[in-house]
């Protein structure tokens, strides 16, 4: 049973000791999965706990605010992904002003030693930590020698001669290259969340939607997409989705609005996962609602065709 912890201080979470990896793990791409998988294997072989330490909000979000890079995954989905990989302990530590003021030595003492009883710590080669990013890998190694743990890293995962990174994935998603992003993620890009009530404008326009709020996080892509929806029955359901601020109706906050084909049911409160298959077009502002509805009809028909073709191709390759 995996355990989630949010606080720096508290009792020991790992009486038998742990193997730890530290990072943002935004999107849980193939590079992240290689690191986490390696740590889990090391922990299992040594009879220790496998611990993954990350932060919420991410440090760059705390310092950069609205100018921070878009998020690839919301906190709940990131946690669920780490649990699915097999982590025994998942830390999404609250990154606030007090945390930002913590020295490198304090972080080691309070988190790695007291809470996790670390025996091995695995980080990326560019890892920095502590107040003002004062600590690097060499500093962590020196502190580890004093505290009884070793420090190491694994080689970055590369595809097409380039390092797999969240930055590359954001760039691919921003230009609508969903297939390219899926190769680096190891799976199709998706957004998961709980269906909430919107303005119900879609229902009056013949396009009822399941609406997901993005918890104040800026998404890495926008526009209209052919999608599959998971979490409603055993099979994924075909749909068309709009991700953006809805400029035609003077929207401001980004929403994900999903119209499921040939579906009539109440989804309020249900958690669903929206898998992005293909981008149809950019978001745009229409002069009136009838023009918007006409475009929505065209979007829906094109999405149906794309999804039928994708399903046929997947069946043939299976």
């Amino acid at each position: 049973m995996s355990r989630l912890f949010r606080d720096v201080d508290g009792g020991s979470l790992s009486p038998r000791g742990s193997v730890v990896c530290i990072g943002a793990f935004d999107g849980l791409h193939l590079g992240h999965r290689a690191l986490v998988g390696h740590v889990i294997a090391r922990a299992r072989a040594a009879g220790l706990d496998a611990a993954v330490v990350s932060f919420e909000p991410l440090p760059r979000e705390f310092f950069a605010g609205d100018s921070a890079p878009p998020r690839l995954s919301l906190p709940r989905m990131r946690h669920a992904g780490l649990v699915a990989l097999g982590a025994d302990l998942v830390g999404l530590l609250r990154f606030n002003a007090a945390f930002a003021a913590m020295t490198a030595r304090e972080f080691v003492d309070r988190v790695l030693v007291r809470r996790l009883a670390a025996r091995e710590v695995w980080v990326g080669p560019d890892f920095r930590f502590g107040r003002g990013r004062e600590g690097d890998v060499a500093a962590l190694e020196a502190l580890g020698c004093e505290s009884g743990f070793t420090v190491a890293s694994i080689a970055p995962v590369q595809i097409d001669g380039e390092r797999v990174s969240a930055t590359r994935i954001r760039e691919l998603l921003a230009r609508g290259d969903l297939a390219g992003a899926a190769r680096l993620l190891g799976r199709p890009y998706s957004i998961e969340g709980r269906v909430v009530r919107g303005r119900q404008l879609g229902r009056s326009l013949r396009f009822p939607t399941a609406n997901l709020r993005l918890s104040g996080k800026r998404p890495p892509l926008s526009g209209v997409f052919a999608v599959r929806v998971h979490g409603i029955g055993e099979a994924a359901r075909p749909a068309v989705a709009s991700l953006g601020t809805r400029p035609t109706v003077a929207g401001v906050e980004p929403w994900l609005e999903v119209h499921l084909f040939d579906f009539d049911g109440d989804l309020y409160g249900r958690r669903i996962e929206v898998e992005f298959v293909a981008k149809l077009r950019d978001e745009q502002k229409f002069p009136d609602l009838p023009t918007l509805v006409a475009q929505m009809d065209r979007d829906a028909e094109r999405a149906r065709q794309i999804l039928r073709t994708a399903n046929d191709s997947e069946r043939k390759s299976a």
Side-chain angles (χ1 to χ4, degrees), residues 2 4 25-29 32-33 36-37 40 52 73-90 92 185 187 190 192 273:
S2 179
L4 172 68
F25 302 108
D26 187 22
L28 269 184
H29 56 60
H32 296 146
R33 289 169 180 268
V36 174
I40 290 171
V52 180
S73 57
L74 299 180
R76 184 185 180 100
M77 196 168 185
R78 183 165 45 132
H79 171 240
L82 291 168
V83 171
L85 289 175
D88 299 306
L89 297 165
V90 177
L92 298 184
L185 287 165
R187 67 196 185 284
S190 65
E192 184 260 1
E273 181 178 351

Side-chain angles (χ1 to χ4, degrees), residues 205-271:
L205 300 177
R206 298 185 292 105
F207 282 88
T209 58
N211 305 309
L212 303 183
R213 300 186 69 175
L214 303 180
S215 303
K217 308 297 185 184
R218 185 159 59 97
L221 72 177
S222 65
V224 178
F225 302 85
V227 302
R228 296 184 180 115
V229 179
H230 303 266
I232 308 170
E234 294 184 3
R237 286 187 166 273
V240 63
S242 174
L243 177 54
T245 58
R246 303 161 296 161
T248 303
V249 295
V252 176
E253 178 187 0
W255 282 65
L256 176 56
E257 299 176 304
V258 186
H259 172 66
L260 291 94
F261 299 139
D262 309 314
F263 176 82
D264 183 18
D266 184 359
L267 296 177
Y268 293 124
R270 184 189 292 264
R271 297 201 74 86

